[in-house]
């Protein structure tokens, strides 16, 4: 498996072990992880800390020049919030574990020049499917349904 | 002035007094404020807590049915992150203090059915202009420039 997706998946599993929504993300700058995180809806009662947002928050305040050399790795296709955040900071590339469970704003990202790669990783998919089976309402809450 | 924009502006002024970026927002559900907040980049070293995000975070976890009856009031036109977040939660209406300092994703919001109203309030505008004059780099950082 891609080494950075593997770290994102570790984050997702950490979230699952905490009773949270198992989505993890890693922000990589020129081959180095500068932020990693996972969804904190349950753990912190947060409505904004999806995996991508948590990874960005944990990377701290970075100059625009850094974001523009970053790749976001995330276990699940990014929702409108996380996609908009990548557009705000000009992150040029996103690598997605899977988009079968949820199709995010991949088309919007592409239309704005972001490179979008979908790996269709089975482990990412299976973790989400298991979680949704166990917690359908929590999952709906997270995607505003 | 619109009573809720007034509260959003109070939040913006609070941010300014704290040495932060003076943008404030209020989430209103059926005429009642359920969350208010302001940009926390400086105060909390946050890269995700724009005014709208802070207001949503302070409103706490709400069911989708609540978000769908909400109006977001914000002193400045919402950036891609905040616009995407409103799309995620299905907030149907946003009232904007001004969009002369910064033009956010108003067209994207409208294209997805969100009602966008711009008040062009002079006090919101003047506060941002004063801040940007004093802190041009901080402002650029906040919009990913």
């Amino acid at each position: 498996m891609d080494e950075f997706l593997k770290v994102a998946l570790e984050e997702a599993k950490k979230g699952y072990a905490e009773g949270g929504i198992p989505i993890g993300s890693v922000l990589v700058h020129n081959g180095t992880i500068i932020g990693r995180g996972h969804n904190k809806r349950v753990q912190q009662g947060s409505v904004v800390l999806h995996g991508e947002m948590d990874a960005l928050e944990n990377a701290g305040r970075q100059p625009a020049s850094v974001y523009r050399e970053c790749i976001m790795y995330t276990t699940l296709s990014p929702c409108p919030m996380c996609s908009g955040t990548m557009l705000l900071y000009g992150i040029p590339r996103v690598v997605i574990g899977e988009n079968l469970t949820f199709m995010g704003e991949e088309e919007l990202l592409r239309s704005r020049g972001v490179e979008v790669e979908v790996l269709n990783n089975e482990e990412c998919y299976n973790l989400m499917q298991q979680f949704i089976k166990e917690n359908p309402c929590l999952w709906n809450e997270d995607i505003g349904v």
Side-chain angles (χ1 to χ4, degrees), chain A residues 27-70:
Chain A
L27 187 66
V28 175
H29 179 244
N30 290 339
T32 302
I33 293 175
I34 62 169
R36 50 191 286 176
H38 54 273
N39 187 301
K40 297 280 172 64
R41 179 173 296 274
V42 172
Q43 298 91 321
Q44 295 187 21
S46 174
V47 304
V48 305
L49 290 178
H50 278 187
E52 297 90 328
M53 308 295 278
D54 194 41
L56 279 160
E57 196 69 321
N58 290 334
R61 289 168 59 183
Q62 300 287 341
S65 58
V66 168
Y67 292 122
R68 285 177 190 177
E69 295 171 338
C70 278

Side-chain angles (χ1 to χ4, degrees), chain A residues 4 12-13 36 64 67 69 117 123 127:
Chain A
F4 295 120
K13 287 177 182 171
R36 50 191 286 176
Y67 292 122
E69 295 171 338
E117 189 182 352
E123 212 177 335
L127 181 58

Side-chain angles (χ1 to χ4, degrees), chain A residues 27-131:
Chain A
L27 187 66
V28 175
H29 179 244
N30 290 339
T32 302
I33 293 175
I34 62 169
R36 50 191 286 176
H38 54 273
N39 187 301
K40 297 280 172 64
R41 179 173 296 274
V42 172
Q43 298 91 321
Q44 295 187 21
S46 174
V47 304
V48 305
L49 290 178
H50 278 187
E52 297 90 328
M53 308 295 278
D54 194 41
L56 279 160
E57 196 69 321
N58 290 334
R61 289 168 59 183
Q62 300 287 341
S65 58
V66 168
Y67 292 122
R68 285 177 190 177
E69 295 171 338
C70 278
I71 304 174
M72 178 69 82
Y73 289 78
T74 185
T75 57
L76 185 65
S77 186
C79 83
M81 172 173 68
C82 299
S83 299
T85 305
M86 288 188 258
L87 293 179
L88 169 64
Y89 289 118
I91 294 171
R93 187 163 181 236
V94 55
V95 179
I96 297 169
E98 62 113 348
N99 63 7
L100 297 175
T101 298
F102 176 79
M103 176 54 86
E105 293 281 351
E106 295 179 15
E107 279 316 307
L108 175 66
L109 288 169
R110 285 199 182 96
S111 76
R112 301 286 180 99
V114 177
E115 201 184 328
V116 178
E117 189 182 352
V118 183
L119 299 179
N120 280 323
N121 177 276
E122 203 172 347
E123 212 177 335
C124 292
Y125 176 74
N126 289 340
L127 181 58
M128 277 309 291
Q129 292 303 310
Q130 183 179 341
F131 170 77

